[in-house]
Amino acid sequence: MKYVLVCGAGGFIGHHLVARLKAEGCWVRGVDLKRPEFSSSVADDFVLADLRDPQSAWACLDRRFDEVYQLAADMGGAGYVFSGDNDAEIMRNSALINLNVLEACRQSGAGRVFFSSSACIYPQFNQDDPDRPECAEHTAYPAAPDSEYGWEKLFAERLYLAHARNHGMICRIARYHNIFGPEGAWQGGREKAPAALCRKVAQAVDGGSIELWGDGRQTRSFLFIDECLEGTLRLMRSDCEQPVNIGSEEMIAIDALALLIARIAGKRLSLKHIPGPTGVRGRNSDNRLIRERLGWMPTASLEAGLVPTYRWIAAQLAPPGGIEPPIRP
Ligand code: NAD
């Protein structure tokens, strides 16, 4: 039996990861400040704890785990990360979590440690052109992330790499690019573009309009949760010691994303652009390294993931016992 710890198990990716690890037959302990919002955790043991506190981190790692997935972080969508208002909290909270979890992993002799970094570590100057962003792993330096969230992730990457070098720990680092799917934040300010747009489309009347932040020409790629989990497990169990992108290469402008969701919903909508935090102009995953190192890369289409995501968000908005909105096949 493999013993696994998932930090951030009450969050979007962590909650799905717990289910995937349980389906594989692992014994799983989840830890988070909160329980998952939309369905109960299937973890064997779920600990409510604040990993900013070293004693709590040690208590969660009171035994040797074969695998530790460190996904806990203070994060959110553009409205939370790029407004500037939360910079100090984001840096302090996430750095404390990483320092404490890693030290507890070292002391308890954890087998393998996974850290979820982010595409936000890539330099802003390589992402000014929405049609040709550069996010190959080696372009991370000279560093110039556009957010403090990205700087903290870069610091944490180096922290894990240094522990691997100096203490012989086995650490694996993924740079996630915009993960989406059912049971992710979809309202309240921490939701990301796909969930926010699904909500806006679901709330709009056919023939009406929805508001988008920025000019709508900024580009991104979005990875469905199932492929994120597949990549995470493959990376964790690989011999790849360097940080790698886990993302989709299907880049799309935000306007086109909104229209795609409207098409899935079977609605004709016009787009209204309003000022708002947008982040870099363009970002896309570069999957050459993951393909080379793992012999695998994500392949599912964006639309295939948006259909269940839209369906789930629309159902959240539907009155209890009410009729679900139609979805185009
Ligand atoms: P999430 O916000 O849903 O999950 C993070 C969880 O960490 C939350 O449940 C939160 O309560 C928990 N947490 C925060 N502070 C804590 C503390 N002090 N002690 C214990 N738990 C604490 O985010 P997610 O989308 O599931 O992302 C998981 C990880 O992947 C994060 O590290 C995030 O930075 C990284 N990431 C995610 C994406 C994405 O698109 N979702 C992209 C890049 C990187």
Side-chain angles (χ1 to χ4, degrees):
M1 167 93 65
K2 203 181 259 186
Y3 285 84
V4 181
L5 178 70
V6 177
C7 303
F12 167 51
I13 302 173
H15 180 47
H16 284 281
L17 181 60
V18 168
R20 172 77 193 253
L21 291 162
K22 279 304 299 167
E24 279 192 355
C26 301
W27 187 93
V28 184
R29 172 180 290 166
V31 52
D32 202 301
L33 283 173
K34 61 174 178 67
R35 292 186 184 278
E37 215 172 314
F38 307 107
S39 61
S40 347
S41 177
V42 292
D44 297 281
D45 182 24
F46 195 99
V47 182
L48 287 173
D50 187 341
L51 293 167
R52 290 172 300 184
D53 169 29
Q55 305 298 338
S56 301
W58 290 336
C60 293
L61 279 126
D62 62 352
R63 55 154 297 137
R64 182 187 176 277
F65 284 95
D66 301 299
E67 295 180 349
V68 175
Y69 294 86
Q70 199 321 74
L71 286 85
D74 188 5
M75 68 157 314
Y80 185 73
V81 169
F82 298 117
S83 68
D85 297 342
N86 308 299
D87 286 350
E89 285 300 288
I90 288 172
M91 296 189 87
R92 178 177 182 278
N93 291 341
S94 293
L96 283 173
I97 294 169
N98 283 312
L99 287 162
N100 292 338
V101 171
L102 197 46
E103 178 59 12
C105 283
R106 186 176 76 82
Q107 292 201 17
S108 61
R112 284 172 180 255
V113 185
F114 174 92
F115 171 60
S116 52
S117 182
S118 166
C120 291
I121 63 99
Y122 287 111
Q124 178 159 18
F125 56 74
N126 278 338
Q127 301 172 86
D128 290 338
D129 180 347
D131 299 321
R132 271 174 296 280
E134 171 61 271
C135 293
E137 285 81 349
H138 69 273
T139 64
Y141 296 96
D146 70 324
S147 65
E148 303 299 356
Y149 168 79
W151 278 108
E152 190 283 328
K153 287 289 190 194
L154 208 53
F155 159 75
E157 281 191 4
R158 299 186 72 94
L159 186 71
Y160 285 82
L161 291 169
H163 277 65
R165 255 192 339 267
N166 295 163
H167 300 305
M169 295 175 70
I170 300 177
C171 298
R172 300 290 176 258
I173 301 171
R175 293 177 181 158
Y176 287 156
H177 289 243
N178 287 313
I179 316 302
F180 76 99
E183 302 201 32
W186 60 280
Q187 64 175 354
R190 288 189 178 224
E191 66 279 18
K192 301 198 167 179
L197 292 175
C198 284
R199 185 195 69 233
K200 289 178 185 185
V201 168
Q203 286 172 323
V205 292
D206 192 14
S209 68
I210 59 169
E211 291 183 338
L212 303 185
W213 284 345
D215 63 7
R217 282 181 287 165
Q218 67 271 30
T219 53
R220 291 293 185 278
S221 71
F222 302 95
L223 184 70
F224 190 57
I225 182 69
D226 290 1
E227 289 207 298
C228 166
L229 299 181
E230 184 66 31
T232 298
L233 296 186
R234 283 174 183 263
L235 175 60
M236 177 65 139
R237 294 158 187 177
S238 76
D239 61 0
C240 182
E241 291 173 349
Q242 61 202 117
V244 285
N245 292 328
I246 292 187
S248 162
E249 284 185 333
E250 187 183 342
M251 191 169 79
I252 187 169
I254 296 300
D255 270 356
L257 175 67
L259 294 174
L260 174 58
I261 296 170
R263 186 163 66 72
I264 289 168
K267 293 184 183 181
R268 272 166 305 121
L269 297 174
S270 56
L271 309 178
K272 192 174 158 209
H273 299 111
I274 57 165
T278 56
V280 294
R281 288 298 289 158
R283 177 171 290 156
N284 194 12
S285 187
D286 182 322
N287 288 348
R288 286 173 293 179
L289 186 64
I290 192 169
R291 198 170 48 221
E292 181 193 315
R293 295 303 311 267
L294 305 191
W296 175 90
M297 60 179 250
T299 49
S301 73
L302 171 61
E303 185 165 356
L306 282 174
V307 170
T309 307
Y310 178 78
R311 191 191 302 271
W312 180 80
I313 290 175
Q316 303 304 302
L317 286 160
I323 301 161
E324 271 197 31
I327 314 273
R328 262 184 51 127

